Structures are given as C-alpha cells and as structure tokens.
Amino acid sequence: MNARIVEGQYKMSNDYSMSLLKNVHKDLPLPEPGETFLVRGDYEYWHYGCDGFNDKGWGCGYRTLQTICSWIKDTLTSNAPVPNLRSIQEILVALEDKDKSFIGSREWIGSFEVCLVLDYRYDVVSKIIHIPNGKDLIQYIDKLKKHFEDFASPIMMGGDKDCSSKGIMGIHIGSNGNAYLLVVDPHFIGKAKGINHLQSEHWIKWQHFSDFVNSSFYNFCLPQVQARKQHEGHSTTG
C-alpha cells in the first residue's frame, strides 16, 4: 500500500460530510431475545468517499476513526473538528509513529493508530484489547459488555486476515448464550437514502460472534470517555 495520492486524482463528485446520517443503528431489530448494551450519544456515519475523497480499498480505518471522533466531539462538546484523512496522517507523523512518506500515502491504519489520534486530538485515552484469533472472541463478552455499561463509547475493531475496519456500537447477548456485535461498516459508497437503506443492505447489522474469521486476530480500541449522563437507556432486554 505504498501508492501516492496525486492531487485531484482521488476526488469524487460529491461531498456529503456536512449532511451525514447520524445514529444509523437506531431501531435496528434485535437478532433474538436477550440483553442489549449500546453506545449512548450521537455520532455521524463516516464512510468511503463521504467527503468527496475516494479512499475505496484502503480508508476504512480512517472512516471508523472519523465516526468515533464525531461521537467524542459531540460528547465532549469539543471545538476540534473531525480530522480529514490527510490530517490523520499528519498527526501520526507528528507523533513519530509513521515516517514522513506516510503523508499522502494510501496506507491503512488500525486500532493502535486510532488510539494515538484520539489521544492527540481530543486528549482521550483508549484501551486496546488484543484477541489472538476470532474463535476466542466469545471469551471477551463480559469485557465488551462492561465497556458499554461503563463508557458507552463507540469501539474500533480491526484485524489481519479480516482486515476490514468495523465500528462497534453495541453487544447483544442472547438467552441461550449467543452473542452478537452491532457493526457499523464504513465501506459503503455513495449517498445513503436513509438509515433504513443502510440497514436493509446490511451496512449496519448484528453480526454473530461465529461469523468473524477464526484465523484472524482482532484488535479493539475502546475510548475511555463516558457518554453524557442525559443519554440513558444503554441496556435493554427483549
């Protein structure tokens, strides 16, 4: 992923970043009866090309980071805007995590880089959870549940064999031991007709733990900032 971004080469025709859909998991049907723990507060759905910049094939981690930034900005009432892709790269170079050649590249970022940017941009510390392989995800149900109970902030999920970044907005625990993660997928391209459009095409979905890749490791970035108290109702039973 060392190709360079040439000025204007990756521009798309439309910039939707000022009118992004919010809280795109709203009213998504539960996969089965059980207990649900969700993000609290408002976030914007950032995805491929939403700001007029074509990052298809490499920018999913940046887009999940932007979604998390939008939640933090709203939660902390911060004046710091959601950073664009180049700004994210510049931050990582300033932190000496990346070489200068990283700026303008199409290199991916993962959960560790997301952690660094959140700390630099918003002074938000994050916890990293490393899971050696997908089949071990089930062992982390309680930790993920506790995160949404204590903080209710969005989570970044990345991996290696499964290298597609995912925003995680909740966890659902079924009555028979089944468990699901609420995935907000940043790989959508275009202008969504609405939340129902995204949900019906499964860009927003409940994904069973068994549907993740067993041979892939996963890294979770859990921002350690609490949702505002006025956002209640993080857990439900259905």
Side-chain angles (χ1 to χ4, degrees), residues 18-85:
M18 300 303 293
S19 58
L20 293 171
L21 294 174
K22 293 185 177 182
N23 307 328
V24 290
H25 70 284
K26 184 179 179 181
D27 298 327
L28 181 69
L30 297 177
E32 62 174 86
E35 197 171 16
T36 309
F37 302 86
L38 298 173
V39 65
R40 297 199 304 272
D42 297 328
Y43 64 89
E44 299 168 333
Y45 174 53
W46 289 75
H47 55 84
Y48 276 166
C50 64
D51 53 3
F53 185 84
N54 184 3
D55 55 313
K56 180 181 178 181
W58 61 274
C60 57
Y62 297 81
R63 299 307 186 179
T64 297
L65 168 57
Q66 289 175 314
T67 293
I68 295 173
C69 286
S70 72
W71 181 91
I72 291 174
K73 184 177 185 297
D74 180 77
T75 298
L76 300 182
T77 59
S78 170
N79 292 323
V82 173
N84 60 29
L85 274 65

Side-chain angles (χ1 to χ4, degrees), residues 8 24 29 35 57 59 67 78 99 101 108 112 123 128 134 175 183 200-201 210 214 231:
V24 290
E35 197 171 16
T67 293
S78 170
D99 294 331
S101 61
W108 303 347
F112 180 71
D123 199 24
I128 295 288
S175 56
V183 173
S200 66
E201 294 191 356
S210 64
N214 284 345
H231 295 296

Side-chain angles (χ1 to χ4, degrees), residues 50 53 56 75 85 88-89 95 98 111 123 143 149 159 164 185 192 195 197 205 211 216 221 232 235:
C50 64
F53 185 84
K56 180 181 178 181
T75 298
L85 274 65
I88 292 168
Q89 293 180 337
L95 292 172
K98 305 292 184 186
S111 293
D123 199 24
K143 288 186 177 181
E149 287 181 316
S164 296
D185 187 338
I195 291 175
H197 171 210
K205 63 183 179 181
D211 291 333
S216 179
C221 173
E232 299 294 343
S235 65

